[in-house]
Structure formats: C-alpha cells, structure tokens
Amino acid sequence: MNAPRSDTFIASFDIGSSAVKAVLVSRDGQMQLAHTVSYRSAAVHCEQDPQDWWLAFCQVLQQWWEQGVLPSNIAALTFSGQMQSLIALDAHGHVLCPAWLHTDARASDAAARITEQMGADAIHRVTRNPFNATSVLPKLLHLREHHADVWERTAHVLVGAKDFITQRLTGRAVTDPTTAATTGMFDIEHGAWAHQWLDSLGLKRALPDLLNADAQVGVVSTQAAAITGLAAGCPVLCGLGDAAATTLGAGVSDASQCYAYLGTSAWVARVSDVSDSATEQFNAPGAPLFVLPYLPPAANGLPRRIFIGPISNAGAVHRWALRWLDAPADAADAADTQRYALFEHAVAAAPFDPKLMFLPYLNGERLPVNSSEGQGAIVGLGMDTSRAQMMRAALEGVSLSLRWALDMLQPQGTRQRELIVVGGATRSAEWMQILADCFDAPLHIPAGADLLPCLGAAAIAARAGAGAALDWCASPEDFVRRHQSLSSNSRSQTVLPRPEAAAQMQAKSRRWRALQAAVSTLSDAPR
C-alpha cells in the first residue's frame, strides 16, 4: 500500500478515447498515484458505451482506496475528456444507445442538408468552426431520422465524455464552452447554444447547461457516493475539453509556442487572443482548423482562442501496425509493454526507404484531409520490403500528417523553432525521433507528458475563486508553473532532429502530399 504524501488533493480525470487516466494533485502541484484504466478504443470503433467510462472511473477510485487514500482526502473532482460526441439520455438520465464519437461520420447526408438549409457562411459566422458529418448537430438529425425509437425517448443530450461522469455524480447535465465549440451548434461570440437552429430543424431537446470550466456543477450525490466510495457532498467541477486542458497543462500560453498531442487521436495547436491579425486565415468559411474558447483571458484582457488542427488517425494507427510484428505468434501472447518493445526494436532496425509511403487514414479523417471514410494506402512496396519497414512507414505517415497540419496552423512564412510534444505516444523513442526529423525542429517532452490533460484540469480547479473555493493559486498558469518547478530537467526530454534524416523527410513529405492528392479521388469511385 502506497500512502499518499499529502492530506488534501484535487482528483483529476481525463476521460479519453481509449482509457480513463487519473491522478491526485496536491497543493504544491505534485501529481501522485496516477492510474490508467483502458477500454475499447474510440478511433477504431466510432461508438463507445458510456457505461465503460463510468466503470473505468470507478476502478480508478477503487485503486486509490486500496492504496490508502481516504474519501476525505479529496477536496474536489475535476475533469478533461474527449469532445464532439452525441450521448442520448432518457428523462431519468439513463443511456439510450452507444455514444457516437468524434470519429463517427454516419451523418454525412444530414450535414449536407443542414448546410444547404442554413448556409455554409452563416454556420461558420456563428460557430467559427468546421461543420461536417462528425459535428453533433447533424448527428442529432441522423438520430431522429434513422433511430426514431431512440429519438422519441431522448430527453437530454450530452456532448462530451467527461459530462457523462459529472451527470452520474451530480444528476446535472452540463458542458464547458471548449467542448461545446466542436458541436456545430455553439455561438462562439455569444457563448451560447444556437437554439434557433434546433428549433428550425425540429431537433429541440434539452442540451446541457453551459458552465465555465471552474464552475461547480454540484456535489457527489448520496447515491453516487454509495457506488463510488466518494464522500457525499464532495464538490464536482465542470472541467474542460481535452484540447483546452492539454494546452494549459503543457504550459502553452501565447502565440510564440506550438505543441503536438499524440494519443489515440492527435492534434497540433497554438494560442492567441482575438486581436491577432494572423488568425484571419482561420476565420474564413471552409477553414479546416478548429477555433476553441480558452480560459483565462490574455494579459491584455482580451478573450483567447486555441487554434487546433485535429488528426483522427494517430495512436490507433500505431496499435494497428503492431499486427505486423515479425513474430506475431509470440507477440500475441506478450503483454502490451513487451509488444511495444518488440515494435520499437523492429522500427529502430528498419532502414529508411524513400519510396515507401504510408497514408494513415484508416478511419475517416478531419485534417489535413477531410474524408468520411478510410482512405489508407501504402505505396512503394518491393520484393525486399520488410514488415519492420512498413511499421516505420506507418509512424512516418502519422508524423507527416501532423507536419502538414502544423503548416496549416502557423502563420504563413513562419517556422517552428521548437515543438512541445505531449501524450502517451511520447513513450515511443523511435516515433519521437521520426517526428523530430519530420518537423526538423527540436522536440521538448515535459515530465508526465501523458498526464498533462489531468494537470490542466486540476490547474483550473486550483485557481483562486474556483467553484470549490480551494484558493490554491492566483491563476491556472501559476499552478502549472508550480508543477513544472518540481519537475527536474532530468525528467523532461529533448529530441533533436538529425540533419540528414530531416532532409530525407522533407523530400518524402513533398511526394507524400502528392500521393494523398491522388488517392483522395478514390472517394469519388462508384459503390
């Protein structure tokens, strides 16, 4: 049993695409007793049972109780989580069907009809974000038209995984502005739902209340306390979508910094206030990048935005490529850590092949290409191509996709001098080297890189004036810096690009993008 090293914690949870990650965060910014509980990946399957999120959440709590944590040690609960989901609940809060996730593009016809009725320019003027089949609004229309029995019983709609957990704990349906911004029905300038659209489309249902990330949703109910072991009355905060939580946890606070997150899905992002003239390229209708509200405001008092290029096919491609191990029988019996070690060893030994190119779009993609269905491809195979080379090409493909997204994200003519990289994929040394070569820039990997969404959510909870009135810090950024000061340089990593390899990847990038342009025409093929 490992006793915690503090009397009081914020319990912070990230309800992700493939697992719940959780950590206890103390007043000084230390993260303790981290746990991960996995479930079926959202990037492989476009649906998940929200009950799996709840069971994983409860498992984490049980592990803490077994390690000597007391319910009274937890001062508040806060959350980060995957966004852009449709979760239908009945009048009693019961789940009516699996959650339709951010990778789900079944509503393409509905999206096209809504765009025709509302107008693409009008939708973008209100939302400032991409609108397509993965947006929640067309998913609602598809649900009504193709699942009438579920629609008739739907009384409440949730739009983020974390919001399902807070609803189970408190009985209240809420979400934060960052999560709402990816739904295709959030008025970003007024910070409100576009209820008039739901009315005109005949889709009126109870959307979650909009609360700031630091607002208190409620407290752990007596019923939830009996199930989880938490103390009844413990404050539950709204939290924020994973993109905003990760941005804050990574310490990215101004336009001079960019970062990349690599988990089951991935993204590149930067922060700016609304006065930045460079943001005009993101505000045009049809722009593929997401624009998300971000707390707190800039030093000049203006609202801030996160500009983000999301990649659906990332860590899931890594897991898919594990099937190519040279010893599949041995690998099938090995633990996950052993399989990943075998993969690393194989990729390290694989020679670079300039002709071998892998397009990682095994599922529908949002950026840098937009497709509702998979368009994956591998080109340049020869009689002597090894499985290890194909595994390396898979990692190269995701890296090249991220580089393309970063080129879209940065103001034209600028070049990133250093890139912060966070997320579970940072544990792969070979992938990080490929990424550094692909970006031709040093990568800075902070300590605890896979837990930074939890840190960001905890920082919001710890700020002075937060809903739970913890008053642990003056600002979320101060709390993150407090954590960073505890993390010695020896626990962070820097990966430098190799000049020759960077030149090779630059040349491959040009050919790879031309290949993608050719393969994209496959979506026009008759069925």
Side-chain angles (χ1 to χ4, degrees), residues 120-121 123-130 188-189 273-292 305-307 408:
D121 289 353
I123 292 174
H124 191 272
R125 187 167 57 252
V126 171
T127 68
R128 296 292 178 185
N129 274 294
I188 195 169
E189 298 301 331
D273 68 52
V274 295
S275 68
D276 184 355
S277 60
T279 65
E280 288 304 313
Q281 63 178 301
F282 310 126
N283 287 331
L289 301 168
F290 281 88
V291 182
L292 309 179
R305 301 282 188 260
I306 305 172
F307 299 102
M408 292 179 174

Side-chain angles (χ1 to χ4, degrees), residues 357 359 404 508-520:
M357 292 186 287
L359 299 179
W404 194 356
K508 178 175 261 193
S509 178
R510 291 190 290 270
R511 297 192 299 273
W512 184 89
R513 295 187 192 188
L515 173 65
Q516 170 54 41
V519 170
S520 65

Side-chain angles (χ1 to χ4, degrees), residues 65-89:
W65 309 149
E66 292 173 356
Q67 290 178 294
V69 178
L70 300 175
S72 57
N73 292 139
I74 296 178
L77 296 100
T78 189
F79 298 89
S80 165
Q82 57 176 311
M83 307 185 293
Q84 207 169 330
S85 301
L86 170 59
I87 306 160
L89 306 179

